[in-house]
């Protein structure tokens, strides 16, 4: 029997099992969506974590539950889960370690689940977090379940990481994500597919900067010539930095905050700017960093100095040859199932960026098809659930034995 024939038979078996679980998937999704789990609701996130932990343990995963100290602003997140299951194919024999990553938190406030409960209208499910990311997390768990039922364990290790704070930038879980990605061969993001069904091949990175502009105060009416106006320099800098837009493809620069001065009769002695840079490659972020510092060296007002501080950096999830091979493998399986997949790049940042930032090739958007995230109209295409679960399971099975051809 040829390899393509064996793979087609495996995919058919996975599809049959995924279709058989469609009803239980929707019941489980209703249960998860009915739990408020906003990023700032540690208790709610932990109720979701309890549910996922029980499910992982039933699947034979050893689960580590990680509790985080409060963030610098005093906020305590929910816990994270790291589930691990060893396979029968060690790395020395070609087996691979695969990380599945999803998040348990939503952007919604307490009470949203009761005010806007889970419902299905025709082929569409609605509810807070139904797409982002409870539908995706549940798809990952279900894919692991049907792989286990078929006895598919030709991999070195499967790791499922569920985080509590993705929607606020993963301030607590970032070190855990990066540590868990260490030594992993492939990363699979469980965010849902784009509205048109595309997978996500790339996500922009984000760098945040603060510019502190220091001038010299003086009486604005009597001796303004003795001052050095930091507000004026901040205005020059704002124009110069916004003008960087369009210099490089897929790069945006936004001066989002400008603060200056205390009184109208004082030459402004100090100003602060907050800048966000988004770019598709690490090299472009570095280019913009240099451009910001060059602009800061020439503030345009004598006597003014500018200090540049990079506050945060989340590297891009880049479109690489390795991630393209993963996508091509997923697309071939999708075609066998009658689905045509596309590869999308997005400006949104997620935990997949942090995994990719460690050097691991990542493919994201592997959950069911959904959309309108972060809004009351958030939806999930119920008809896409079995196919997407089967495709995810097939990709795990293929990658686990190092097959990306």
């Amino acid at each position: 029997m040829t390899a393509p024939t064996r793979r087609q038979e495996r995919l058919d078996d996975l599809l049959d099992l995924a279709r058989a679980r469609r009803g239980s998937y929707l019941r489980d999704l209703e249960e998860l969506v009915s739990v408020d789990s906003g990023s700032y609701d540690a208790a709610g996130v932990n109720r979701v974590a309890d549910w996922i932990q029980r499910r992982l343990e039933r699947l034979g995963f050893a689960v580590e539950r990680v509790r985080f100290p409060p963030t610098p602003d005093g906020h305590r997140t929910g816990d994270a889960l790291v589930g691990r299951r060893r396979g029968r194919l060690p790395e020395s024999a070609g087996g691979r370690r695969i990380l599945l990553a999803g998040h348990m938190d939503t952007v919604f406030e307490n009470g949203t689940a009761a005010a806007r409960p889970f419902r299905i209208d025709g082929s569409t499910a609605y509810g807070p977090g139904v797409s982002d990311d409870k539908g995706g997390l549940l798809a990952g768990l279900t894919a692991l379940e049907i792989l286990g039922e078929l006895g598919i364990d030709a991999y070195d290790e499967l790791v499922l990481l569920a985080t509590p704070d993705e929607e606020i930038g993963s301030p607590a879980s970032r070190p855990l994500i990066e540590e868990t990605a260490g030594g992993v061969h492939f990363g699979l993001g469980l965010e849902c597919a784009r509205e048109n069904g595309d997978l996500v091949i790339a996500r922009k990175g984000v760098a945040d900067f603060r510019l502190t502009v220091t001038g010299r105060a003086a009486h604005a009416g009597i001796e303004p010539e003795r001052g050095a106006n930091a507000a004026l320099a901040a205005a020059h800098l704002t124009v110069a930095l916004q003008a960087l837009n369009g210099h490089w493809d897929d790069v945006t620069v936004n001066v989002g905050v400008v603060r200056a001065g205390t009184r109208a009769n004082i030459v402004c002695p100090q100003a602060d700017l907050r800048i966000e840079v988004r770019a598709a490659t690490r090299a472009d972020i570095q280019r913009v960093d240099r451009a910001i510092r060059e602009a800061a060296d020439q503030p345009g007002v004598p006597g003014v100095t500018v200090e540049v501080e990079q506050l945060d950096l989340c590297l891009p999830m880049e479109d690489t040859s390795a991630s393209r091979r993963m996508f091509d493998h997923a697309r071939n399986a999708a075609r066998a199932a009658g689905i045509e997949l596309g590869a999308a790049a997005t400006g949104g940042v997620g935990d997949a960026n942090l995994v990719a930032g460690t050097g691991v090739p990542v493919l994201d958007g592997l959950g069911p098809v959904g959309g309108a995230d972060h809004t009351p109209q958030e939806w999930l295409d119920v008809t896409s659930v079995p196919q997407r679960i089967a495709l995810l399971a097939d990709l795990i099975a293929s990658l686990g034995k190092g097959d990306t051809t």
Side-chain angles (χ1 to χ4, degrees), residues 294-382:
E294 289 170 2
D297 288 339
Q298 302 175 17
V301 177
V304 168
T305 60
V306 182
E307 178 187 358
V308 179
E309 180 185 3
Q310 186 179 95
L311 300 176
D312 193 20
L313 173 62
C314 180
L315 290 170
M317 173 185 146
E318 297 195 31
D319 184 345
T320 66
S321 58
S323 58
R324 277 286 163 180
R325 287 194 295 272
M326 295 167 67
F327 169 73
D328 288 342
H329 207 72
R331 181 172 57 184
N332 290 338
R335 284 174 176 166
I339 304 170
E340 189 61 38
L341 285 182
T346 177
V349 173
D351 285 345
N353 289 70
L354 302 178
V355 177
T358 68
V360 175
V362 179
L363 189 62
D364 201 0
L366 288 160
V369 177
D373 297 352
H374 299 190
T375 77
Q377 292 75 43
E378 183 178 0
W379 58 272
L380 187 82
D381 180 0
V382 170

Side-chain angles (χ1 to χ4, degrees), residues 10-22 24 142 145-152 386 389-390:
R10 182 182 71 196
L11 183 58
D12 290 342
D13 290 340
L14 292 169
L15 278 167
D16 287 343
L17 289 175
R19 291 184 181 116
R21 281 164 173 74
R22 180 177 176 273
S24 60
T142 308
E145 184 178 45
I146 63 176
L147 285 171
E149 183 165 339
L150 288 177
I152 297 174
I389 289 173

Side-chain angles (χ1 to χ4, degrees), residues 24 59 64 92 103 118 132 254 354:
S24 60
L59 292 173
E64 177 188 9
S92 59
H103 63 93
F118 177 87
D132 186 18
N254 183 57
L354 302 178

Side-chain angles (χ1 to χ4, degrees), residues 73-283:
D73 62 2
H75 164 62
R76 183 177 290 279
T77 72
D79 301 341
L81 299 175
V82 183
R84 298 178 181 273
R85 186 171 69 187
R86 304 296 304 198
R88 62 173 173 81
L89 189 65
E91 183 179 358
S92 59
R96 295 293 181 260
R97 288 186 292 279
I98 301 171
L99 172 63
L100 288 75
H103 63 93
M104 300 176 286
D105 60 322
T106 74
V107 299
F108 301 106
E109 300 294 327
N110 280 346
T112 305
R116 187 162 49 84
F118 177 87
R119 65 184 176 89
I120 297 176
D121 185 358
S123 62
T124 308
Y126 298 92
V130 68
S131 169
D132 186 18
D133 182 30
K134 293 175 178 178
L137 259 177
L138 184 56
L141 288 168
T142 308
L144 296 175
E145 184 178 45
I146 63 176
L147 285 171
E149 183 165 339
L150 288 177
I152 297 174
D153 58 358
Y155 51 80
D156 182 87
E157 184 179 41
L158 298 183
V159 184
L160 187 138
L161 173 64
T163 56
D165 56 349
E166 189 269 353
E167 297 291 8
I168 55 173
S170 307
S173 63
R174 179 171 183 167
L176 176 67
I177 295 169
E178 294 170 341
E179 177 187 353
T180 305
V184 166
H185 296 97
F186 302 106
L188 303 178
L190 298 178
E191 298 280 0
C192 281
R194 304 296 90 177
E195 293 188 12
N196 64 355
D198 285 354
L199 304 186
V200 177
I201 195 74
R203 290 181 177 274
K204 285 186 177 182
V206 178
D208 292 328
F209 296 86
R210 176 169 58 207
L211 273 59
T212 302
V213 185
T214 302
R216 187 169 55 251
H219 193 294
I222 298 175
E223 47 187 13
E225 71 280 358
R226 293 193 174 187
N229 196 317
L232 178 58
H236 285 306
L237 283 167
T238 298
V239 172
L241 296 176
Q242 288 292 147
L244 294 175
N245 286 291
H247 280 226
W248 304 280
D249 291 338
D250 295 323
V251 173
T252 58
V253 180
N254 183 57
V255 181
V257 177
V258 180
R259 298 189 182 95
T262 56
R263 296 174 64 95
N265 60 354
I266 300 175
V267 174
C268 176
Q270 186 161 330
D272 294 287
L273 294 82
R274 296 292 181 93
I275 302 156
E276 182 195 79
V277 175
R278 295 199 180 217
T281 68
R282 184 195 301 244

